[in-house]
């Protein structure tokens, strides 16, 4: 956020901070949220690269389209295990998983 906008918000009495500060996340919790979002992004990207719909992925994984949507959104109800199994189910290798983990953050962790 630009400094001028932050100053204007502050002048109006708004508190300006990070998502981590607002949710009172520890560094470890923030890192886990970020990692989950990276894996979710990797799943979405792999599905798109393969030209598959969420429904097609769900059938491959013996799951539902709504569950795949939750996986791609990084919802709290989705486990790391499920994300990794889905990526592997779509042909991801260990190297692909490592690349996803090392990817730059593409969106806010919330």
């Amino acid at each position: 956020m630009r400094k001028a906008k932050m100053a204007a918000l502050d002048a109006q009495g708004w508190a300006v901070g990070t998502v981590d500060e607002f949710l009172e996340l520890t560094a470890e919790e923030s890192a886990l949220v970020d990692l989950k979002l990276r894996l979710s992004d990797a799943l979405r990207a792999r599905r798109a690269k393969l030209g598959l719909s969420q429904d097609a992925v769900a059938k491959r994984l013996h799951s539902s389209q709504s569950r795949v949507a939750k996986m791609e959104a990084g919802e709290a109800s989705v486990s790391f295990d499920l994300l990794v199994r889905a990526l592997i189910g779509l042909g991801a290798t260990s190297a692909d998983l490592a690349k996803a983990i090392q990817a730059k953050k593409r969106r806010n962790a919330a």
Side-chain angles (χ1 to χ4, degrees):
M1 184 181 307
R2 290 177 295 149
K3 289 182 182 182
K5 186 172 184 175
M6 287 177 60
L9 289 171
D10 189 46
Q12 294 177 7
W14 290 92
V16 178
T18 67
V19 172
D20 293 348
E21 292 168 343
F22 179 75
L23 295 175
E24 298 179 352
L25 297 177
T26 65
E28 294 82 8
E29 290 167 331
S30 180
L32 285 173
V33 169
D34 183 52
L35 177 58
K36 190 174 204 178
L37 292 176
R38 290 173 195 226
L39 292 172
S40 294
D41 287 345
L43 177 61
R44 184 181 318 100
R46 180 163 285 276
R47 177 181 64 78
K49 183 178 179 181
L50 295 172
L52 298 172
S53 66
Q54 288 181 342
D55 192 50
V57 170
K59 286 180 177 137
R60 281 191 185 192
L61 301 176
H62 306 288
S63 188
S64 66
Q65 178 276 326
S66 62
R67 193 71 179 148
V68 172
K70 289 177 182 182
M71 292 163 57
E72 290 184 358
E75 285 202 13
S77 65
V78 176
S79 68
F80 281 95
D81 178 64
L82 183 57
L83 286 169
V84 172
R85 286 187 313 146
L87 284 161
I88 292 170
L90 294 180
T93 64
S94 296
D96 294 328
L97 293 173
K99 186 177 178 182
I101 290 169
Q102 294 173 347
K104 291 182 181 180
K105 189 187 293 189
R106 293 197 292 166
R107 55 186 169 149
N108 290 333

